[in-house]
Amino acid sequence: MKETLAELERWGADVIFGRAKGFRASMMRLAMSLLSGVYRGVVQARLLVYRRRWRQQHHLGTLVVSIGNLTVGGTGKTPVVELLARTLRDEGRRVAILSRGYKSRRLKTPQNWKDKDGNKLPAEKMPKVVSTGRALLLDSKFAGDEPFMLARNLNNVAVVVDKDRVKGGRFAVGQLGADTLVLDDGLQYLHLAHGIDIVLVDRSAPFGTGAILPRGTLREPPRNLCRASYILITKCDGTSNDALIERLRRYNRVAPIIECTHGPRYLEEVFTGERQELDFLKDKWTAAISGIAVPEGFERSVEKLGARVEIRRRFSDHHRFSRREIDKFMERCIERDMELVVTTEKDAVRFPKPKELTVPIYFLRIEVEILKGHDAWSDLIARLCHPGAPGDPVLRHRDAYAM
């Protein structure tokens, strides 16, 4: 059943991106196009409901910064979340990352947590605490890929998972002492008020396929970019982005634009932690395996580093690898005399150890570097580190929301 659903998910992605051909795929695209009109209407109506205050947003008494995008996956959001959280932490903020924990498993029983008075917190007030900032409490199965990866990489930054991010935020403020909440993938989460919205735009596909879900990869129409406080153009390669910036300015004339690159930094062995410089890949016969939204970009990065990518194995985004799948893949690598296997850091957190580890498995560490817009980035950090007074409409008195 699991394999069938995964196959359907992959086929659906092939339909959306135009890779699937034939009558059945054409009919599916037609049906998706009709549903896209309905989806667009629902999205815009929902925004109107919050804009007119027919439904109230929650204010948690501290600054909330959202990092999100208009498209589904592939913009390089997690490294940006990590960079922002690390920078704010180093500037003295008490940071908590709020995530919904996409495709994470539910805990059989809530975690045991006692408040400052020694009283056990009721189950209905308990989110999943991936990390307190000092201790890692959950694995990737229950935390989700990105939250676990962030928690593992960020000391002194709390990571909290719950679909209800108002509940998660209240816990982070009341129990963990957070004074800055980073809302991971939060542009569409309107139930919690955002002080600042950072919107990521992938340079190579700024508006995805150009069509709204389910026909395309846009969650919202491009005109909704007007909600961005800051725009980050991701995955830049050093060439001019003037044409893209002109296009973005049609939808948002005032938000500062920051250009950054998502560059590989080193290789790390998944099971031993051994690190290698990037030139370690040069001329190596390599197998690439991933379960991410845009595997082509990852594979191109590996090839640009000089690897001879002979085998490509792609799974659906957030796919949880089984031991059987990995053993089968490793057998193929051995038969083809591969020298190493490369995966992504996000995939590495859910990579089961194969029965035979005769071919080493590395993940490619990706980090963000600001190329242009350093002043805008510095301004963003300054605004977050020195927020307004309690009377500011974005920053409400935190004691009113104590648990």
Side-chain angles (χ1 to χ4, degrees):
M1 184 64 179
K2 180 182 175 183
E3 291 181 1
T4 302
L5 290 174
E7 285 294 331
L8 284 173
E9 189 174 347
R10 282 194 292 273
W11 183 75
D14 288 341
V15 169
I16 290 171
F17 287 101
R19 295 189 292 259
K21 308 296 181 183
F23 178 77
R24 187 175 62 157
S26 297
M27 291 298 99
M28 180 58 75
R29 278 190 276 268
L30 177 60
M32 286 177 167
S33 296
L34 296 174
L35 289 173
S36 290
V38 176
Y39 185 86
R40 177 193 290 263
V42 171
V43 167
Q44 296 305 99
R46 181 169 173 269
L47 287 170
L48 182 64
V49 164
Y50 281 99
R51 190 178 299 124
R52 295 287 179 85
R53 298 187 178 180
W54 295 333
R55 187 173 184 184
Q56 292 296 317
Q57 291 183 307
H58 289 262
H59 296 263
L60 298 185
T62 193
L63 194 60
V64 179
V65 53
S66 160
I67 299 180
N69 45 43
L70 293 178
T71 59
V72 177
T75 57
K77 177 171 52 61
T78 303
V80 174
V81 172
E82 183 178 332
L83 174 65
L84 180 66
R86 178 179 285 111
T87 304
L88 293 175
R89 177 203 65 188
D90 292 346
E91 291 293 325
R93 304 301 291 181
R94 296 189 299 276
V95 182
I97 297 170
L98 306 182
S99 173
R100 64 174 174 153
Y102 182 63
K103 286 195 175 182
S104 62
R105 292 190 183 179
R106 181 181 297 181
L107 293 170
K108 292 181 180 179
T109 57
Q111 291 160 288
N112 188 18
W113 188 274
K114 292 183 179 180
D115 63 20
K116 59 184 178 182
D117 297 321
N119 300 317
K120 185 178 178 180
L121 210 63
E124 64 271 15
K125 290 188 177 182
M126 272 301 301
K128 289 191 288 188
V129 186
V130 181
S131 170
T132 62
R134 297 177 297 277
L136 188 61
L137 303 181
L138 295 176
D139 61 15
S140 66
K141 183 188 297 183
F142 295 102
D145 305 340
E146 290 95 339
F148 177 78
M149 191 174 90
L150 290 166
R152 189 177 63 177
N153 290 339
L154 292 167
N155 294 323
N156 297 317
V157 173
V159 180
V160 176
V161 164
D162 202 287
K163 289 182 180 179
D164 181 356
R165 269 155 306 167
V166 174
K167 181 173 80 173
R170 281 179 175 150
F171 181 91
V173 173
Q175 300 298 319
L176 300 176
D179 61 21
T180 305
L181 303 177
V182 177
L183 190 56
D184 182 14
D185 197 16
L187 183 63
Q188 288 77 32
Y189 192 83
L190 305 177
H191 201 44
L192 177 60
H194 312 162
I196 292 176
D197 272 301
I198 301 172
V199 180
L200 309 188
V201 175
D202 184 348
R203 181 188 185 276
S204 61
F207 299 112
T209 61
I212 299 282
L213 287 168
R215 173 61 185 89
T217 57
L218 273 171
R219 296 172 171 180
E220 303 184 44
R223 66 178 183 174
N224 287 5
L225 190 64
C226 65
R227 307 212 312 277
S229 311
Y230 292 82
I231 298 171
L232 262 68
I233 302 176
T234 63
K235 303 181 182 179
C236 299
D237 57 7
T239 58
S240 173
N241 289 313
D242 291 347
L244 174 56
I245 291 172
E246 184 178 350
R247 187 179 176 190
L248 297 177
R249 285 301 183 207
R250 297 176 198 167
Y251 308 111
N252 191 318
R253 295 182 180 277
V254 297
I257 294 177
I258 300 167
E259 301 173 50
C260 61
T261 182
H262 284 57
R265 292 294 178 262
Y266 56 81
L267 294 157
E268 183 172 320
E269 218 284 337
V270 172
F271 302 108
T272 67
E274 176 194 8
R275 291 186 181 182
Q276 298 285 355
E277 297 296 326
L278 296 175
D279 58 10
F280 179 72
L281 280 172
K282 191 170 178 60
D283 294 328
K284 293 276 196 320
W285 292 104
T286 304
I289 181 171
S290 61
I292 56 175
V294 187
E296 298 88 353
F298 159 65
E299 291 163 5
R300 281 196 299 269
S301 295
V302 175
E303 288 179 318
K304 284 180 180 178
L305 292 171
R308 299 178 178 182
V309 181
E310 184 72 8
I311 298 175
R312 292 171 169 83
R313 184 69 172 97
R314 301 171 180 176
F315 292 86
S316 57
D317 196 15
H318 294 275
H319 177 79
R320 186 158 290 280
F321 306 110
S322 68
R323 173 78 177 270
R324 179 173 170 271
E325 288 169 337
I326 296 303
D327 284 343
K328 188 176 179 180
F329 174 75
M330 293 303 290
E331 287 173 8
R332 186 181 173 197
C333 292
I334 294 168
E335 290 170 0
R336 300 280 295 276
D337 292 326
M338 294 296 102
E339 295 179 80
L340 73 158
V341 173
V342 180
T343 189
T344 70
E345 186 174 6
K346 190 175 82 169
D347 290 309
V349 303
R350 46 186 155 78
F351 215 93
K353 193 168 186 177
K355 183 172 60 179
E356 292 186 33
L357 194 57
T358 53
V359 181
I361 304 170
Y362 291 88
F363 71 76
L364 189 61
R365 169 67 177 174
I366 302 294
E367 294 179 5
V368 174
E369 181 183 353
I370 306 297
L371 298 180
K372 291 184 180 180
H374 290 89
D375 289 344
W377 178 259
S378 297
D379 172 70
L380 168 63
I381 300 304
R383 288 182 65 186
L384 292 171
C385 290
H386 306 286
D392 190 297
V394 172
L395 188 63
R396 302 297 174 86
H397 198 272
R398 64 184 290 173
D399 291 343
Y401 300 93
M403 298 180 66

